[in-house]
Amino acid sequence: MPNVAQEPLLSATAIAKSFGGVQALRGVDFDVIPGEIHALLGQNGAGKSTLVKILNGVHPAGSYTGAVKLDGRPVSFASPADARSNGVGYVPQEIEVLEQLSVAENVFAGHTGLGDGFMVHQRRLEKRAGEIFADLGIGIDPRAYVASLTSAQRHLVMIARAIVMKPRVLMLDEPTASLSGAEVDALFSVLGRLKAQGVAMIYITHRLPEVLAICDRATVLRDGQVTVRIAREDFDAETFIFSMSGQRLQRLFPEHAAPIGAAAALEVRNLTVAGHSGAVHGAKDINLSVAAGEIVGLAGLLGSGRSEILHGIYGRVPAGGEIRVAGEPVAIGSPSDARAAGIALLTEDRKRDGLLFNLPVGANITIGNLSPLARHGVVRGGLERSSILAAMRALNVKASSPQASVSHLSGGNQQKLLFARVLMRAPKVLLLDEPTKGVDAATRHEIYRLVVDLAENGVGFVIVASELEELIGLCDRCLVVADGRIVDEFGRGEGGEDRVLRSVAAAQAERHVRASQVSP
């Protein structure tokens, strides 16, 4: 563990920042020392991301009050490029990639010549990127176009981009939000090596087990202020939760019993989803059923095909096979077909695939749901407003008004906004891809409670989540996906994380055996 008496490498003093009259930070003091992983914790909207964006130059000097020092000297970063040139790296929670460029070009964006003038050495880029990914323990083809990657894979590309710059300070905002256990372990191994090299790291996460596993100190923010600073020897999950929320959560996963004898809400037979270039492998011969009121989880590693199954059912990608909703066969060639059949989807990346930032909060709820609110093709304004307010109250969406900007909402409120949108159609089946990604512990509990309440009212769920604890705790059944196939199934109490990992390992071993048998 680093010596906390050591001089800070990067520090902030009395930082205050507001957005349109809303005070995001109120006199925050924070520092990180060489060779330390310092957790920055707090609920959505507490000010964590605002603070690191100040330390990284996203919010430039002059847009806030207070002082930032690097190596004890005052600094005034005008931009992220300015911060990078001073050895400060940042991996934001939001996906920031160049979709039409290759993975290797994204990793080395801004310095693709690799020291040889303006010439781009493509093969050298690909070789170096491949070495970095091997070091991270992930299998992404450096030659693939980023547009073909999943959200989780794009995030790994961003992490590689930050690490290749060899920063002295590295800030990571929810770096494991979409990663499964194996990818998280590989990332932790890399962070451990960076720590041994004296790199100072600021680690934002809502996953408290990660804080307990790798962090040396923790600072907790609430309502833009520091509530507590906690040394490693005093780490405790309950203390973290109470410091962040001001209240103690009771049971993390609400009790729920799978319905007995309920009719099928969703039946999928021989579903096949074509893969794309890169590490998106698709899915093959998927057979599953979900009873009305049942919560089914899809567990698997990154690239296993779990998300592709959801997208195939929903019509986001071409798929073959048979789908039935409430016993009736449905033809789904597009998301509109799926919605008409009573199927709703919350995608993994709410900012890219869900939210419309050019529309206010209210319009984000009613978009796609205007028909019941209209008469003779004209939306009834009073009915629309009352429907919006009712949805916001039901989901506890915290916004100043239906006219508020979506960009001013916390991640948890943005996620609840999307739930409000899909629930206006009263779906029979709800497909959730990483439903608690980037949300704090209290909001997670709200989402879990919402899922169970909807299930008890007959909605069938299929949930993809990288956190196996979430699937095991929330779902009535878990289906294990590996290489685009379902390789195991177990009910509540019949298995845990170890069973998922063993099933994946067995499927991978079987695949290697088959490959060796057909090799010349």
Side-chain angles (χ1 to χ4, degrees):
M1 179 175 174
N3 179 8
V4 293
Q6 194 173 355
E7 287 297 316
L9 179 53
L10 182 67
S11 65
T13 305
I15 299 295
K17 169 75 175 173
S18 62
F19 297 95
V22 177
Q23 197 71 31
L25 295 175
R26 308 167 186 267
V28 171
D29 295 339
F30 181 84
D31 66 71
V32 60
I33 64 176
E36 173 190 42
I37 303 179
H38 192 144
L40 183 58
L41 306 176
Q43 296 194 77
N44 291 112
K48 308 180 302 296
S49 295
T50 300
L51 178 60
V52 296
K53 286 177 179 178
I54 286 172
L55 297 176
N56 180 57
V58 172
H59 299 315
S63 68
Y64 59 90
T65 60
V68 178
K69 292 183 178 181
L70 183 64
D71 284 323
R73 302 189 314 273
V75 290
S76 300
F77 297 143
S79 66
D82 192 7
R84 281 196 302 272
S85 67
N86 283 276
V88 179
Y90 174 47
V91 182
Q93 180 180 350
E94 298 84 6
I95 302 296
E96 296 178 357
V97 291
L98 303 168
E99 293 194 350
Q100 302 311 313
L101 297 183
S102 71
V103 167
E105 288 166 336
N106 267 269
V107 170
F108 291 99
H111 50 110
T112 51
L114 291 179
D116 293 319
F118 295 102
M119 294 297 294
V120 175
H121 298 271
Q122 193 69 25
R123 290 185 180 178
R124 193 181 305 177
L125 287 184
E126 294 166 358
K127 182 175 183 294
R128 287 277 302 278
E131 292 168 351
I132 293 167
F133 286 128
D135 199 36
L136 284 169
I138 54 180
I140 297 179
D141 185 354
R143 298 167 297 179
Y145 284 103
V146 169
S148 70
L149 302 185
T150 65
S151 176
Q153 291 162 340
R154 294 170 187 228
H155 210 99
L156 289 170
V157 170
M158 292 166 54
I159 292 172
R161 180 196 298 162
I163 291 174
V164 78
M165 293 293 290
K166 300 186 184 303
R168 299 172 61 213
V169 180
L170 179 61
M171 297 180 283
L172 303 112
D173 194 347
E174 296 287 353
T176 64
S178 299
L179 307 185
S180 60
E183 289 79 32
V184 171
D185 290 342
L187 176 61
F188 284 178
S189 178
V190 172
L191 298 185
R193 291 197 294 274
L194 293 175
K195 175 179 172 178
Q197 295 166 13
V199 176
M201 285 168 275
I202 301 172
Y203 194 89
I204 295 178
T205 184
H206 292 303
R207 297 181 173 185
L208 297 184
E210 295 182 3
V211 178
L212 299 173
I214 67 167
C215 294
D216 302 299
R217 279 195 295 161
T219 296
V220 178
L221 298 181
R222 186 166 78 231
D223 297 328
Q225 296 177 298
V226 175
T227 59
V228 67
R229 296 178 177 86
I230 307 175
R232 172 77 197 179
E233 57 267 24
D234 297 322
F235 277 13
D236 175 76
E238 183 64 24
T239 299
F240 289 141
I241 292 173
F242 183 71
S243 299
M244 288 187 286
S245 66
Q247 58 185 329
R248 301 189 183 278
L249 296 181
Q250 301 301 315
R251 181 181 174 86
L252 180 59
F253 298 105
E255 293 185 5
H256 174 65
I260 298 175
L266 174 70
E267 297 168 276
V268 176
R269 295 288 176 264
N270 303 316
L271 181 78
T272 297
V273 183
H276 308 293
S277 59
V280 183
H281 302 302
K284 299 171 282 292
D285 299 325
I286 299 299
N287 293 281
L288 63 87
S289 64
V290 182
E294 185 182 24
I295 306 171
V296 175
L298 298 182
L301 302 181
L302 181 64
S304 63
R306 54 191 186 172
S307 294
E308 286 72 29
I309 293 172
L310 298 191
H311 294 172
I313 294 172
Y314 193 65
R316 290 194 80 204
V317 294
E322 180 185 355
I323 297 175
R324 290 176 176 265
V325 176
E328 297 296 324
V330 293
I332 297 177
S334 67
S336 60
D337 292 337
R339 290 192 294 269
I343 302 175
L345 169 69
L346 259 69
T347 60
E348 176 185 6
D349 192 339
R350 60 177 170 264
K351 295 198 173 182
R352 186 180 66 153
D353 298 328
L355 297 168
L356 299 169
F357 287 90
N358 60 327
L359 296 179
V361 167
N364 265 273
I365 293 175
T366 57
I367 191 75
N369 299 314
L370 292 174
S371 295
L373 307 176
R375 177 180 294 171
H376 305 303
V378 178
V379 175
R380 301 165 65 186
L383 180 58
E384 181 184 21
R385 180 175 174 79
S386 62
S387 298
I388 290 169
L389 292 173
M392 292 175 66
R393 283 194 298 269
L395 276 295
N396 194 27
V397 177
K398 296 177 182 178
S400 58
S401 75
Q403 286 72 45
S405 170
V406 174
S407 62
H408 291 166
L409 299 186
S410 67
N413 281 300
Q414 289 178 348
Q415 191 74 339
K416 288 189 285 185
L417 189 68
L418 293 179
F419 268 101
R421 180 196 297 170
V422 301
L423 292 180
M424 284 194 77
R425 286 180 168 265
K428 302 181 181 72
V429 178
L430 195 45
L431 313 175
L432 306 180
D433 198 348
E434 303 288 359
T436 62
K437 177 180 178 180
V439 305
D440 58 65
T443 305
R444 280 180 179 229
H445 193 266
E446 287 186 76
I447 291 175
Y448 297 153
R449 180 74 264 170
L450 173 64
V451 168
V452 169
D453 287 347
L454 290 170
E456 290 179 349
N457 281 283
V459 177
F461 284 86
V462 183
I463 301 178
V464 167
S466 297
E467 289 190 64
L468 295 180
E469 179 189 13
E470 183 167 288
L471 290 180
I472 302 300
L474 188 62
C475 297
D476 302 309
R477 279 190 298 135
C478 283
L479 310 179
V480 183
V481 182
D483 294 322
R485 298 179 185 274
I486 295 174
V487 298
D488 192 14
E489 175 180 342
F490 59 90
R492 189 185 297 277
E494 296 177 353
E497 297 182 30
D498 56 339
R499 176 162 177 173
V500 173
L501 297 176
R502 283 199 303 269
S503 298
V504 170
Q508 291 174 335
E510 182 181 347
R511 175 168 56 85
H512 287 310
V513 169
R514 291 198 306 267
S516 64
Q517 290 173 345
V518 299
S519 298

